[in-house]
Amino acid sequence: MADLFSNALAYEGAMGRWSARLAPIFATFAQITDGGRVLDVGCGTGSLVKALADMTHRSEITGIDPARPFIEYCRARFVDPRIAFDCGDALKLPYPTGVFDHTLSLLVLMFIPEPEKAASEMRRVTRPGGTVSACTWDRDGLEMTSVFWEEAIRMDPDAEAQSQRPRHSNREGQLAATWHTTGLQQIEETVLEIRMDFSSFDDYWQPHLTGIGPQGVYVAGLPSERREVLRHALQKRLVADRPSDPFLLRGKALAVRGTVPNGQ
């Protein structure tokens, strides 16, 4: 996963703006209470950390991510003494048992190869009565990516197999099932939606050229002529002959929240 997201500035241009739009909605769903200790697993460039800091005044917030460039970016971005960042693995969180009041993960779980193990670690580091929450893009409801892969597969039927597109934790019911398996209680899964406003087709297309995320990795591996074929197909699909016009896509995400049982 760290290889897919190794450039913090490129990620900000490609997906960070949408993470920032989704983060406050997710944090509200997660029912964060002010004054506790909060952990953001897979903090990336800090979209959720910022949302958490904005909605609390006394909470201590820790972000952890396996990509060191992201951690260095976050440490330079945030100067609030309530906020700290660690470089580490979601499958082996470097924290004692039960030290956080809330543990969250935004747009990461679908990239982790063992989501049940990650959820178990999130539960472990959360105190009894605390909450564990996660949010992922819906596989088919995130139109900016679903349209991309539909056109890529139309051009190249092997595109799906070659891609590093997530294949779990991104369909309705999957997050809740993982939370049940992990032994969390009072589980609720919901749908969150945002508007994804693009000022032009280039605003949509250019981030795909950064090599960040599954689409970027796929585009980077294409010969120039096939890249141009894909670009043209996407432009025709999204804006027809009006590449300079703004357009809107839907961003659908799935979120789950559960409570760590008391006495366990």
Side-chain angles (χ1 to χ4, degrees):
M1 183 175 67
D3 292 338
L4 284 173
F5 304 106
S6 57
N7 186 316
L9 289 176
Y11 176 83
E12 277 291 276
M15 290 301 296
R17 54 180 167 168
W18 311 125
S19 301
R21 188 169 292 187
L22 179 64
I25 306 171
F26 170 53
T28 299
F29 168 76
Q31 297 183 347
I32 303 303
T33 55
D34 195 7
R37 298 189 66 194
V38 187
L39 176 65
D40 175 7
V41 178
C43 63
T45 53
S47 294
L48 181 57
V49 168
K50 183 180 186 305
L52 293 167
D54 288 346
M55 68 187 296
T56 64
H57 302 285
R58 296 176 292 113
S59 295
E60 296 179 10
I61 304 163
T62 300
I64 186 169
D65 199 280
R68 187 163 294 280
F70 281 8
I71 294 301
E72 292 172 353
Y73 177 89
C74 285
R75 286 173 176 166
R77 177 183 180 186
F78 295 95
V79 296
D80 190 328
R82 296 185 295 140
I83 301 172
F85 294 95
D86 297 314
C87 192
D89 187 349
L91 299 179
K92 192 175 182 181
L93 294 172
Y95 308 112
T97 297
V99 295
F100 293 100
D101 298 282
H102 307 282
T103 301
L104 304 87
S105 180
L106 175 67
L107 305 178
V108 173
L109 206 63
M110 65 279 202
F111 290 107
I112 296 175
E114 300 176 78
E116 293 84 4
K117 186 173 181 180
S120 180
E121 275 291 274
M122 292 172 69
R123 171 188 164 165
R124 180 186 65 79
V125 301
T126 308
R127 65 167 176 79
T131 61
V132 180
S133 307
C135 182
T136 66
W137 292 121
D138 181 275
R139 181 179 175 86
D140 300 316
L142 181 62
E143 291 180 336
M144 67 173 289
T145 60
S146 61
V147 167
F148 175 93
W149 289 113
E150 286 170 14
E151 295 302 325
I153 292 167
R154 185 174 288 115
M155 178 186 75
D156 173 15
D158 294 328
E160 180 82 10
Q162 295 169 4
S163 77
Q164 299 187 53
R165 190 183 184 194
R167 292 174 170 82
H168 66 76
S169 305
N170 56 3
R171 296 186 187 277
E172 290 189 33
Q174 291 181 335
L175 289 173
T178 299
W179 259 227
H180 281 290
T181 299
T182 306
L184 294 162
Q185 296 180 347
Q186 301 174 28
I187 296 166
E188 180 181 347
E189 185 178 281
T190 193
V191 171
L192 307 175
E193 291 197 16
I194 63 168
R195 289 168 49 104
M196 306 183 86
D197 303 279
F198 295 91
S199 61
S200 65
F201 177 74
D202 273 351
D203 189 28
Y204 170 87
W205 173 250
Q206 288 298 320
H208 292 92
L209 306 180
T210 62
I212 292 296
Q215 295 92 261
V217 170
Y218 178 76
V219 169
L222 290 175
S224 58
E225 63 274 13
R226 290 179 62 194
R227 189 179 305 136
E228 181 60 20
V229 170
L230 177 59
R231 187 198 68 79
H232 179 74
L234 287 166
Q235 178 179 312
K236 182 178 180 181
R237 171 85 174 265
L238 292 169
V239 295
D241 58 351
R242 303 182 303 277
S244 298
D245 285 1
F247 63 98
L248 171 69
L249 295 176
R250 180 180 67 144
K252 177 183 175 183
L254 306 171
V256 67
R257 182 187 67 244
T259 302
V260 177
N262 287 307
Q264 296 188 35

